[in-house]
Amino acid sequence: EVQLLESGGGLVQPGGSLRLSCAASGLTINNYWMSWIRQAPGKGLEWVAHLQPDGSATWYVDSVKGRFTISRDNAKNSLHLQMNSLRVEDTALYYCTTGGVQWGQGTLVIVSS
Amino acid sequence: DVVLTQSPLSLPVTLGQAASISCRSTQRLENSDGITRLSWFHQRPGQSPRRLISQVSNRDSGVPDRFSGSGSGTDFTLIISRVEAEDVGVYYCMQYRHWPHTFGQGTKLEIK
């Protein structure tokens, strides 16, 4: 059974940093497109970042470019999202997904002073 | 960015009746390989989204055949032939032809 388990969310002040992690089981993440998708409270879905299977290319939505970095640890079969210079508008539930096919339960990030 | 516009945004449906959701794109979603990159997702209250359909009309494993997708170019439709109670929630279309991948605003289906 495929499982994606996110962690690392929490409450942070504007300008702060968080590192989200996604532990995968039942699949080997370096065989998949891996993505982070977020959902602000009561809102729709927004694709945040995307990592090619061979790790050679990444894509980011414009609003997080230069602030967020998606990466992968093949040895630990885990995906990460380093989030710096956080803004109030980054408040959301962050989902780890295999390109939208399998989804975790999400980890909540709240940016507030 | 590609904008996907769904309609209606709210969809009250009687159990056993059909439901239809439209998704219109500001750009064509067919790639040079001939594949049209449009998916549909369902999100029940308090749950993670679940992909129902990819490439316009390909149902994912385990998705009931009462769900069907159609369309081409910039206009797409999700049809639920006979709505059941478990179908409540929000439905999203998503394009993965152009970066950034984008979602429609969502259509909330409820039972009358």
Side-chain angles (χ1 to χ4, degrees):
Chain A
E1 180 190 4
V2 173
Q3 281 197 322
L4 300 172
L5 184 62
E6 301 95 335
S7 61
L11 174 63
V12 62
Q13 291 189 338
S17 298
L18 280 176
R19 186 172 188 250
L20 306 184
S21 296
C22 171
S25 58
L27 61 86
T28 302
I29 65 168
N30 62 0
N31 291 331
Y32 292 84
W33 291 89
M34 296 300 298
S35 313
W36 289 97
I37 294 173
R38 68 185 178 184
Q39 187 169 34
K43 302 297 184 182
L45 300 166
E46 180 181 42
W47 207 292
V48 175
H50 199 55
L51 176 62
Q52 192 164 307
D54 64 7
S56 64
T58 57
W59 288 265
Y60 300 93
V61 68
D62 281 351
S63 60
V64 309
K65 278 181 184 175
R67 301 188 299 122
F68 290 12
T69 303
I70 187 172
S71 63
R72 183 171 60 206
D73 184 336
N74 290 337
K76 295 184 178 179
N77 206 30
S78 61
L79 182 73
H80 302 283
L81 186 68
Q82 178 65 43
M83 305 188 297
N84 299 329
S85 303
L86 282 161
R87 305 168 180 169
V88 170
E89 56 265 33
D90 295 318
T91 293
L93 187 62
Y94 284 73
Y95 293 104
C96 167
T97 89
T98 56
V101 181
Q102 291 112 346
W103 296 64
Q105 291 303 303
T107 186
L108 182 61
V109 173
I110 300 174
V111 185
S112 174
S113 54
Chain B
D1 296 358
V2 175
V3 176
L4 299 180
T5 302
Q6 291 182 226
S7 62
L9 299 183
S10 178
L11 185 55
V13 183
T14 301
L15 287 173
Q17 296 299 304
S20 177
I21 301 171
S22 169
C23 176
R24 184 161 293 178
S25 173
T26 55
Q27 296 183 38
R28 295 181 65 86
L29 304 181
E30 184 176 348
N31 203 15
S32 55
D33 57 9
I35 296 174
T36 300
R37 287 169 164 76
L38 187 285
S39 290
W40 290 95
F41 293 81
H42 176 214
Q43 185 175 32
R44 294 190 177 104
Q47 295 188 13
S48 303
R50 174 197 182 190
R51 196 178 73 173
L52 300 173
I53 286 172
S54 65
Q55 296 180 25
V56 179
S57 59
N58 295 340
R59 274 191 307 275
D60 276 21
S61 175
V63 174
D65 61 6
R66 64 178 184 277
F67 290 90
S68 63
S70 64
S72 63
T74 60
D75 290 333
F76 305 93
T77 303
L78 175 70
I79 292 176
I80 310 171
S81 59
R82 297 171 305 279
V83 169
E84 298 186 3
E86 65 181 18
D87 299 337
V88 298
V90 181
Y91 291 82
Y92 296 93
C93 57
M94 187 209 77
Q95 67 82 21
Y96 50 109
R97 167 62 181 86
H98 305 276
W99 185 260
H101 300 167
T102 48
F103 292 88
Q105 323 96 297
T107 294
K108 186 173 184 179
L109 185 148
E110 61 179 21
I111 305 300
K112 281 184 187 175

